[in-house]
Amino acid sequence: MWVVLPDGVKKELQEARSSLNTAARFWLWSLLFIVWTVWAWWAVPAGLLGLIFAYYWTVDAAGVYCSLLESAFDLYRLELYKSLRWPIPINPKQEQESGKQLTIYLLRGSDQDRPIFTPLKDK
């Protein structure tokens, strides 16, 4: 799916994922900071404050990333069908079955005579 996404969408997804990764790293470093309690009593409150902040940051970043990923799939899934010359489903029920077949085809290939690929368009 990644290869059929426009560059702007890819950039937005990469930025959202980067923000999520940064928030998760901050949470981990806040947790590890508590180890310094042996040498500085204030490491526990600072670490806990960092953990709380990072938790909310991570939840927010995950929500943004999830929304963008879901939107990209909703908007560009038919581009995947087109680029693979796979017949485009005409209703939601057919799309579920066609999506399952497409996934199996991409994972394992097929030696079946169905589906029939759509013809290439002349440019």
Side-chain angles (χ1 to χ4, degrees):
M1 177 90 178
W2 185 256
V3 295
V4 299
L5 292 176
D7 289 337
V9 175
K10 288 180 186 179
K11 185 179 180 211
E12 289 291 326
L13 283 168
Q14 288 171 333
E15 289 173 1
R17 181 55 193 243
S18 178
S19 177
L20 178 58
N21 291 346
T22 301
R25 272 193 303 275
F26 189 85
W27 183 89
L28 179 62
W29 281 111
S30 295
L31 180 65
L32 294 174
F33 189 77
I34 295 175
V35 170
W36 289 96
T37 303
V38 175
W39 296 282
W41 65 268
W42 50 267
V44 170
L48 290 175
L49 188 64
L51 284 170
I52 293 167
F53 172 75
Y55 170 78
Y56 287 106
W57 181 13
T58 303
V59 169
D60 184 53
V64 169
Y65 181 66
C66 180
S67 294
L68 286 173
L69 192 60
E70 186 177 11
S71 296
F73 180 78
D74 289 343
L75 292 172
Y76 297 103
R77 71 184 184 280
L78 295 180
E79 294 302 317
L80 182 62
Y81 284 96
K82 291 175 189 174
S83 66
L84 293 170
R85 297 178 41 222
W86 200 266
I88 295 177
I90 58 173
N91 60 49
K93 184 176 180 181
Q94 185 184 20
E95 185 175 11
Q96 280 191 339
E97 186 58 38
S98 185
K100 288 176 188 176
Q101 291 172 357
L102 179 58
T103 301
I104 291 169
Y105 175 72
L106 290 173
L107 288 173
R108 299 189 185 104
S110 176
D111 59 357
Q112 304 294 319
D113 60 351
R114 294 278 181 219
I116 296 173
F117 294 124
T118 58
L120 290 172
K121 305 240 183 207
D122 291 334
K123 292 190 178 194

mmCIF file of all heavy atoms in Angstrom, residues 41-56:
data_model
loop_
_atom_site.group_PDB
_atom_site.id
_atom_site.type_symbol
_atom_site.label_atom_id
_atom_site.label_comp_id
_atom_site.label_asym_id
_atom_site.label_seq_id
_atom_site.Cartn_x
_atom_site.Cartn_y
_atom_site.Cartn_z
ATOM 1 N N TRP A 41 17.673 12.111 45.402
ATOM 2 C CA TRP A 41 16.311 11.805 45.832
ATOM 3 C C TRP A 41 15.262 12.341 44.868
ATOM 4 O O TRP A 41 14.174 11.799 44.732
ATOM 5 C CB TRP A 41 16.048 12.369 47.239
ATOM 6 C CG TRP A 41 16.089 13.873 47.267
ATOM 7 C CD1 TRP A 41 17.164 14.648 47.525
ATOM 8 C CD2 TRP A 41 15.005 14.759 46.993
ATOM 9 N NE1 TRP A 41 16.840 15.968 47.437
ATOM 10 C CE2 TRP A 41 15.516 16.068 47.108
ATOM 11 C CE3 TRP A 41 13.668 14.586 46.662
ATOM 12 C CZ2 TRP A 41 14.719 17.187 46.908
ATOM 13 C CZ3 TRP A 41 12.889 15.711 46.474
ATOM 14 C CH2 TRP A 41 13.411 16.985 46.594
ATOM 15 N N TRP A 42 15.580 13.444 44.191
ATOM 16 C CA TRP A 42 14.614 14.104 43.320
ATOM 17 C C TRP A 42 14.409 13.377 41.991
ATOM 18 O O TRP A 42 13.579 13.773 41.182
ATOM 19 C CB TRP A 42 15.023 15.548 43.072
ATOM 20 C CG TRP A 42 16.449 15.703 42.640
ATOM 21 C CD1 TRP A 42 17.522 15.932 43.450
ATOM 22 C CD2 TRP A 42 16.948 15.605 41.322
ATOM 23 N NE1 TRP A 42 18.664 15.985 42.710
ATOM 24 C CE2 TRP A 42 18.345 15.783 41.389
ATOM 25 C CE3 TRP A 42 16.385 15.376 40.076
ATOM 26 C CZ2 TRP A 42 19.167 15.744 40.271
ATOM 27 C CZ3 TRP A 42 17.198 15.336 38.960
ATOM 28 C CH2 TRP A 42 18.575 15.519 39.067
ATOM 29 N N ALA A 43 15.153 12.292 41.766
ATOM 30 C CA ALA A 43 15.013 11.542 40.509
ATOM 31 C C ALA A 43 13.642 10.866 40.419
ATOM 32 O O ALA A 43 13.079 10.742 39.322
ATOM 33 C CB ALA A 43 16.125 10.511 40.375
ATOM 34 N N VAL A 44 13.086 10.446 41.562
ATOM 35 C CA VAL A 44 11.771 9.790 41.539
ATOM 36 C C VAL A 44 10.672 10.763 41.117
ATOM 37 O O VAL A 44 9.921 10.473 40.182
ATOM 38 C CB VAL A 44 11.441 9.127 42.902
ATOM 39 C CG1 VAL A 44 9.995 8.663 42.941
ATOM 40 C CG2 VAL A 44 12.368 7.969 43.163
ATOM 41 N N PRO A 45 10.541 11.930 41.773
ATOM 42 C CA PRO A 45 9.484 12.837 41.326
ATOM 43 C C PRO A 45 9.692 13.311 39.879
ATOM 44 O O PRO A 45 8.718 13.413 39.116
ATOM 45 C CB PRO A 45 9.539 14.019 42.289
ATOM 46 C CG PRO A 45 10.509 13.683 43.341
ATOM 47 C CD PRO A 45 11.205 12.426 42.971
ATOM 48 N N ALA A 46 10.936 13.582 39.500
ATOM 49 C CA ALA A 46 11.195 14.020 38.122
ATOM 50 C C ALA A 46 10.857 12.917 37.135
ATOM 51 O O ALA A 46 10.237 13.157 36.089
ATOM 52 C CB ALA A 46 12.650 14.452 37.978
ATOM 53 N N GLY A 47 11.244 11.688 37.452
ATOM 54 C CA GLY A 47 10.951 10.552 36.577
ATOM 55 C C GLY A 47 9.455 10.295 36.460
ATOM 56 O O GLY A 47 8.942 10.040 35.362
ATOM 57 N N LEU A 48 8.747 10.368 37.596
ATOM 58 C CA LEU A 48 7.304 10.150 37.572
ATOM 59 C C LEU A 48 6.586 11.248 36.792
ATOM 60 O O LEU A 48 5.641 10.967 36.040
ATOM 61 C CB LEU A 48 6.751 10.059 38.991
ATOM 62 C CG LEU A 48 7.141 8.797 39.774
ATOM 63 C CD1 LEU A 48 6.631 8.876 41.207
ATOM 64 C CD2 LEU A 48 6.627 7.549 39.084
ATOM 65 N N LEU A 49 7.033 12.480 36.960
ATOM 66 C CA LEU A 49 6.451 13.582 36.192
ATOM 67 C C LEU A 49 6.671 13.363 34.693
ATOM 68 O O LEU A 49 5.763 13.552 33.880
ATOM 69 C CB LEU A 49 7.070 14.909 36.647
ATOM 70 C CG LEU A 49 6.432 16.164 36.077
ATOM 71 C CD1 LEU A 49 4.988 16.292 36.542
ATOM 72 C CD2 LEU A 49 7.242 17.385 36.503
ATOM 73 N N GLY A 50 7.872 12.932 34.344
ATOM 74 C CA GLY A 50 8.174 12.629 32.946
ATOM 75 C C GLY A 50 7.327 11.483 32.416
ATOM 76 O O GLY A 50 6.859 11.524 31.267
ATOM 77 N N LEU A 51 7.118 10.459 33.244
ATOM 78 C CA LEU A 51 6.289 9.318 32.837
ATOM 79 C C LEU A 51 4.851 9.756 32.558
ATOM 80 O O LEU A 51 4.249 9.333 31.560
ATOM 81 C CB LEU A 51 6.296 8.228 33.910
ATOM 82 C CG LEU A 51 7.545 7.369 33.999
ATOM 83 C CD1 LEU A 51 7.500 6.506 35.251
ATOM 84 C CD2 LEU A 51 7.691 6.508 32.766
ATOM 85 N N ILE A 52 4.312 10.575 33.430
ATOM 86 C CA ILE A 52 2.928 11.043 33.242
ATOM 87 C C ILE A 52 2.818 11.891 31.974
ATOM 88 O O ILE A 52 1.913 11.686 31.150
ATOM 89 C CB ILE A 52 2.450 11.830 34.484
ATOM 90 C CG1 ILE A 52 2.327 10.882 35.680
ATOM 91 C CG2 ILE A 52 1.128 12.536 34.211
ATOM 92 C CD1 ILE A 52 2.158 11.579 37.015
ATOM 93 N N PHE A 53 3.737 12.824 31.819
ATOM 94 C CA PHE A 53 3.738 13.659 30.622
ATOM 95 C C PHE A 53 3.864 12.810 29.359
ATOM 96 O O PHE A 53 3.116 12.981 28.394
ATOM 97 C CB PHE A 53 4.878 14.682 30.704
ATOM 98 C CG PHE A 53 5.068 15.458 29.441
ATOM 99 C CD1 PHE A 53 4.182 16.469 29.095
ATOM 100 C CD2 PHE A 53 6.128 15.181 28.589
ATOM 101 C CE1 PHE A 53 4.354 17.194 27.926
ATOM 102 C CE2 PHE A 53 6.307 15.890 27.413
ATOM 103 C CZ PHE A 53 5.420 16.898 27.080
ATOM 104 N N ALA A 54 4.808 11.871 29.366
ATOM 105 C CA ALA A 54 5.056 11.026 28.191
ATOM 106 C C ALA A 54 3.866 10.123 27.897
ATOM 107 O O ALA A 54 3.583 9.843 26.726
ATOM 108 C CB ALA A 54 6.312 10.192 28.402
ATOM 109 N N TYR A 55 3.185 9.674 28.934
ATOM 110 C CA TYR A 55 2.012 8.827 28.719
ATOM 111 C C TYR A 55 0.957 9.565 27.903
ATOM 112 O O TYR A 55 0.455 9.055 26.892
ATOM 113 C CB TYR A 55 1.424 8.376 30.058
ATOM 114 C CG TYR A 55 0.089 7.700 29.910
ATOM 115 C CD1 TYR A 55 0.006 6.376 29.481
ATOM 116 C CD2 TYR A 55 -1.096 8.383 30.168
ATOM 117 C CE1 TYR A 55 -1.217 5.752 29.321
ATOM 118 C CE2 TYR A 55 -2.322 7.771 30.007
ATOM 119 C CZ TYR A 55 -2.378 6.451 29.590
ATOM 120 O OH TYR A 55 -3.604 5.846 29.434
ATOM 121 N N TYR A 56 0.614 10.779 28.326
ATOM 122 C CA TYR A 56 -0.406 11.546 27.606
ATOM 123 C C TYR A 56 0.065 11.935 26.204
ATOM 124 O O TYR A 56 -0.722 11.950 25.256
ATOM 125 C CB TYR A 56 -0.834 12.775 28.416
ATOM 126 C CG TYR A 56 -1.685 12.385 29.601
ATOM 127 C CD1 TYR A 56 -1.170 12.419 30.886
ATOM 128 C CD2 TYR A 56 -2.984 11.942 29.410
ATOM 129 C CE1 TYR A 56 -1.949 12.041 31.970
ATOM 130 C CE2 TYR A 56 -3.771 11.567 30.486
ATOM 131 C CZ TYR A 56 -3.249 11.606 31.770
ATOM 132 O OH TYR A 56 -4.012 11.221 32.820
#
